[in-house]
Amino acid sequence: MTTRDARSLSPDALEALRRRAVAAVEAGVSRSEVARLFGVSRKTVGAWVLAYRREGEDAFRPKTRGRRLGEQLALSPAQQAWTIKTIISGTPDQYGLRHRLWSRPAVVELVNREFRILLSPATVGHYLVRWGLIDEPYLQEMMRSRVTATVPRPRGAPATAEEWIPEAEVLWVAWTRPHAPADRRAVSRQNLMSGFRNYFGDVNVLIAMSNRGVVHFRAGLGPFDTPHAEDFLHRLMRQLGRPLNVVVCRWPLQHYEMLQAWPRRHSGRISVRFSL
């Protein structure tokens, strides 16, 4: 079969071809078969897939000029608002997804199922940061510091409660309020395209990042209580299938007792330390 020169296509046609080819590869079709079906070379298919996995949605579009605020986003403002409301309203398994906590792959599946839009995990990560739901730069800064301290052991608790558990998953954990303004009287309601700040109310987020940069989180309106924090912990352990060494980066002082209780209730399965 003769291959065509994709460069001769119009920008819209080329973007559509790239999307269809990458979607087929992501669905499990071999690159050779995709190349044959779409009349391009296997090398071209490979380059498109690599660019998509590296750049996300930007890889599909002609690179003619910079973007203005809100322009050329894969999700419309209404689609973004629906996605955020869904994330805030519950956990992925409540919506029939196979994930116990939200993550980039979980949001990829949610958006693809609801809107038939294929986003890359990298693109979802950009959205989560753009929306303010995930403060990844802060967690990455804490991970780079690698300075920790043990949680003070309550009187009578066994010494093993604060030991670092061998072979356990190391998670950097934070409780954040990404939409809480410093001074509510001075902050006006902003539109969706300016970052979603203060648009959805008092959003609270529990987030855990592994040393490999894998992020799991849950979000909700208002402060988390002890059952919510415990549920987050249980979901983490079930999702990862192993004990946890938790390094707490940020946590409200008034809810500190939740952290003290974790090692006592899950002896040998969880260790808690603070970053300094």
Side-chain angles (χ1 to χ4, degrees):
M1 179 177 181
T2 303
T3 60
R4 57 177 149 177
D5 185 355
R7 294 172 298 180
S8 64
L9 299 174
S10 68
D12 288 343
L14 180 57
E15 178 179 343
L17 179 62
R18 287 171 174 167
R19 288 183 180 276
R20 292 171 62 195
V22 170
V25 173
E26 293 293 298
V29 182
S30 70
R31 297 183 185 186
S32 297
E33 182 65 12
V34 171
R36 186 187 67 81
L37 289 172
F38 291 101
V40 296
S41 69
R42 185 182 184 281
K43 182 177 180 180
T44 297
V45 173
W48 290 345
V49 172
L50 180 62
Y52 165 71
R53 291 175 178 172
R54 184 177 60 247
E55 304 173 24
E57 288 289 312
D58 290 340
F60 294 133
R61 304 185 182 94
K63 303 202 172 37
T64 55
R65 58 178 174 84
R67 284 193 262 172
R68 290 188 290 268
L69 183 62
E71 185 182 42
Q72 295 181 347
L73 292 174
L75 299 179
S76 69
Q79 290 169 332
Q80 293 182 59
W82 180 91
T83 303
I84 273 212
K85 289 177 181 177
T86 300
I87 291 172
I88 293 172
S89 298
T91 52
D93 51 357
Q94 292 178 273
Y95 301 103
L97 300 176
R98 58 190 176 88
H99 306 270
R100 292 185 172 92
L101 290 168
W102 291 109
S103 61
R104 282 170 284 197
V107 178
V108 167
E109 291 185 21
L110 177 72
V111 170
N112 191 32
R113 187 184 70 182
E114 182 68 21
F115 304 118
R116 294 295 186 266
I117 295 175
L118 178 63
L119 302 178
S120 72
T123 299
V124 168
H126 292 319
Y127 272 119
L128 293 175
V129 173
R130 172 186 177 84
W131 297 334
L133 276 176
I134 299 300
D135 194 355
E136 277 189 289
Y138 172 79
L139 285 185
Q140 289 168 348
E141 178 183 342
M142 298 306 300
M143 283 175 56
R144 284 192 293 268
S145 70
R146 305 290 176 132
V147 180
T148 64
T150 60
V151 174
R153 186 169 75 246
R155 182 176 300 177
T160 55
E162 60 185 45
E163 291 179 353
W164 206 241
I165 303 172
E167 307 301 325
E169 184 81 22
V170 178
L171 294 177
W172 302 74
V173 174
W175 174 341
T176 65
R177 295 176 63 207
H179 297 282
D183 184 353
R184 291 185 180 276
R185 295 169 299 179
V187 178
S188 61
R189 191 178 182 87
Q190 300 182 24
N191 65 45
L192 294 180
M193 300 316 299
S194 65
F196 292 78
R197 294 290 181 183
N198 313 310
Y199 197 88
F200 293 94
D202 184 18
V203 177
N204 285 244
V205 180
L206 292 175
I207 176 172
M209 176 185 282
S210 75
N211 281 341
R212 301 185 302 276
V214 178
V215 174
H216 296 91
F217 70 97
R218 72 173 301 171
L221 290 176
F224 296 106
D225 55 19
T226 298
H228 280 127
E230 279 286 325
D231 183 62
F232 178 68
L233 181 66
H234 281 288
R235 288 174 179 272
L236 278 173
M237 288 191 288
R238 290 197 298 268
Q239 182 85 31
L240 300 173
R242 57 193 304 189
L244 307 177
N245 286 323
V246 173
V247 182
V248 181
C249 302
R250 183 187 297 172
W251 201 269
L253 289 177
Q254 64 269 32
H255 299 292
Y256 176 79
E257 71 281 354
M258 296 181 186
L259 303 175
Q260 290 182 310
W262 284 0
R264 296 199 304 269
R265 294 177 181 173
H266 307 282
S267 179
R269 298 183 62 199
I270 182 170
S271 171
V272 178
R273 301 187 180 190
F274 281 132
S275 62
L276 297 178

